[in-house]
Structure formats: structure tokens, C-alpha cells
Amino acid sequence: MREEAIGAAILAWYDANARQLPWRVPPGSGRRADPYRVWLSEIMLQQTTVAAVKAYFERFTALWPTVADLAAADDADVMGEWAGLGYYARARNLLKCARVVVAEHGGAFPRTEAELLTLPGIGPYTAAAIASIAFDQPAPVMDGNIERVMARLFAVEEPLPGCKPILKGHATRLTPETRPGDHAQALMDLGATICTPKSPACGICPLIAACAARKAGIAADLPKKAPKKTKPVRLGYIYLARRNDGAMLLETRPDKGLLGGMLGFPTSDWSDVPSEAPPFEAEWHDPELEVRHTFTHFHLRLAIRLADTQPDLVPERGEFVPKPHFNPSSLPTLMRKAFDLAEGAWRHD
């Protein structure tokens, strides 16, 4: 199949099989995608599944329907609504970007990749996605699904990430001048539903006649990936203090670093040999419990320490949140895990 025929086959398949997603404009509707909704969805979808993002996206757009609404939102409210999605630098950059769009671009997202790349938190993939989907710019969009489709379609056997430029070259040649946004979303859907990482459904793929990896019998083996490095383990302590009126001690983490700007329980440093760093002097109880969590580059294991205190105690770090205002579900996943373990320990004291 020629490149034009491949593009036509992808779009025809998409017209009949496009996924219905809350941020997407259905093909053939005649409507233009809202750049704000495209941007918000793409930021949320970074390293996160579609299933996990849907509810967050619908809640965010209900609370803040426009980029101006989001720009005017309170930081703590946005960070609280983001809790559970992980990779919290995305939420901080979300606010920074919204405020730049309002302050420097009159509340309208730039239309080109180059301009979009100047905004906080927007990298090459997100810039291409917004330019393509929202503004019909012929920008090649490269996510994991599209990389997999390109690797198989053209039988690229060099491993990732080294072969990324080769895959982008193939995607660039395939990107049409007409309907480039639908073309990009079609490739995303193809990779998510048919050209899947394991057991690809080649028999119903619209590109079966053109797929070089299918002809060579190696489709399921691609894309190849370079061996992953073993993740190191970091250790630390996490301190959960409960007043006798039910208030819980929380602190806002520094803006920079993991879980930056999020509310959470005080912790020590995270290292190979951490030092205890309780937020106040007390008889901290060791329930012999450990919360474990995995970040992108390391595994974390925090030993839990518990304390019960009186209402007049003033901590050196953080502040006590009254029981009616304490909402565990607004905490990052790591902190919720720690609270669940601590609650069980307190219940059995």
C-alpha cells in the first residue's frame, strides 16, 4: 500500500471505530476540538491510562470549564482535585500554563507547535497533539501507541528509545495535510485497541496488507526495548499524628521534588540511610508497619511512626487539620496508603 492509501485506510477505520472520549470531538461532527480540553486531557494522560483519567477530566471541566477558570483557581483546590493521578509536577505546570495562556495570550492557546512549546509543562508530544487535534496542523504526534504502530508497520527492529527518530520519520511521512488531528487520534486508537502490546489483533487491522512486521511474522515482538535498569530502593520514615479530638497533622510539601506542593504527612528524607525527623517531640510508636510505593525511578519504603497528642500541642512542622475537614481521598496515593495502615493500627490498639 502507498502512503496515501495507508492514510485513507486509517481514517476510514477511525470514522467507523473512533473511541468515544469526553475530551474528543467525534469524526464527521463538523465541530472543532476545544484546545483547552485537548490540552487538559493530554496533560492528564501522560503516563496515566484513559480509564483512570476520565473521571478526573470530567470533574476538572465541571469545576473549571475554561482555561481562564482554571487560571483563577486556588492552587490547593487544584492540587486536591489532582490527588491520586500521580506525577504531581503535571498539576503544578497545569496551573502555570493556564496562567501564562491567560496573562500572555489573552486566554487563547497558541496554534503552532513552536509557540505551544514555550508554555510551561508542554513538551514535543503535547505540543504536536494540541496543534494537530485542536488546530488541524500537520504535526506528527508520537505517543507509545503510535510508536508501536510505526515500529510494526515498517518493521523497525532497532530497540526503543534509540529508534524514536526513525519512528517519527515514518509518522511524519504518513501525516496528511487534511484531517491531521483525526489521523493522529486514529493511530492512537489503533494502538490502544488493535495493535496492542500483547496479542495484537492483526486479523481485523485496517493496515494488515501494509504491515511489514506482520509479513515477517514478528509483529508481536515489536517494538523492541533496551533492557531496563534495576530501580534502586530508598528508605525513610513517615509520621502520623492524631490529636485526641481526631485532628490529623498535615504539611504542604516543598514545591520542588516529588509530591511537590501536595498536602501530606511529615516524612524524613528519602535515602539509603535516612535519619528520623519527627515533626515534634513525643513518644512515637513503632507499629512495625511499612508503606511501600514505586515512583518512576525508584522504590520507596517508609517506616510508619504514630503519635497521639493533646489539643494544645503546637508542632514544629505542619498544622493539625480538624477531623471534619480531613479528607484522606484528597491525599496523594502514598499518603493514603500510610493513612490506611495507620488507621488499622490505631483501631487495634
Side-chain angles (χ1 to χ4, degrees), residues 60 63-64 66-79 95 98-99:
F60 262 71
L63 290 168
W64 305 293
T66 69
V67 68
D69 295 322
L70 182 61
D74 184 79
D75 288 40
D77 291 340
V78 174
M79 299 302 284
L95 279 167
R99 289 164 182 165

Side-chain angles (χ1 to χ4, degrees), residues 75-99:
D75 288 40
D77 291 340
V78 174
M79 299 302 284
E81 290 296 333
W82 190 274
L85 263 181
Y87 303 97
Y88 293 97
R90 294 181 298 168
R92 297 194 298 275
N93 283 328
L94 198 75
L95 279 167
K96 290 178 185 177
C97 184
R99 289 164 182 165

Side-chain angles (χ1 to χ4, degrees), residues 97-283:
C97 184
R99 289 164 182 165
V100 169
V101 169
V102 170
E104 300 180 16
H105 298 274
F109 278 86
R111 300 175 63 89
T112 67
E113 277 186 278
E115 291 175 297
L116 288 162
L117 280 168
T118 66
L119 298 176
I122 292 186
Y125 164 74
T126 305
I130 297 170
S132 175
I133 297 168
F135 298 117
D136 270 340
Q137 301 288 322
V141 181
M142 298 301 296
D143 70 352
N145 284 322
I146 295 177
E147 287 178 345
R148 185 165 58 255
V149 172
M150 292 300 111
R152 290 171 175 172
L153 185 60
F154 295 98
V156 177
E157 296 191 57
E158 291 88 340
L160 286 167
C163 68
K164 282 179 179 285
I166 299 172
L167 301 179
K168 185 171 183 178
H170 290 307
T172 301
R173 288 195 302 277
L174 285 182
T175 300
E177 294 287 334
T178 303
R179 298 180 65 189
D182 283 348
H183 172 86
Q185 291 175 111
L187 287 174
M188 294 175 189
D189 282 10
L190 190 69
T193 62
I194 290 181
C195 195
T196 51
K198 296 180 180 179
S199 303
C202 298
I204 58 172
C205 179
L207 303 183
I208 186 171
C211 184
R214 168 71 174 175
K215 292 175 184 176
I218 57 173
D221 300 326
L222 300 180
K224 295 180 179 179
K225 296 181 180 180
K228 288 185 178 180
K229 295 181 180 179
T230 302
K231 288 185 180 181
V233 175
R234 295 182 187 172
L235 306 175
Y237 300 90
I238 185 165
Y239 301 92
L240 289 88
R242 180 182 63 178
R243 276 194 333 213
N244 58 10
D245 61 1
M248 295 292 299
L249 179 65
L250 295 175
E251 68 174 1
T252 300
R253 296 184 62 82
D255 285 339
K256 293 185 178 180
L258 291 168
L259 308 184
M262 299 296 293
L263 272 178
F265 304 111
T267 73
S268 68
D269 64 310
W270 302 348
S271 62
D272 293 336
V273 187
S275 299
E276 288 230 30
F280 57 85
E281 290 187 10
E283 293 185 8

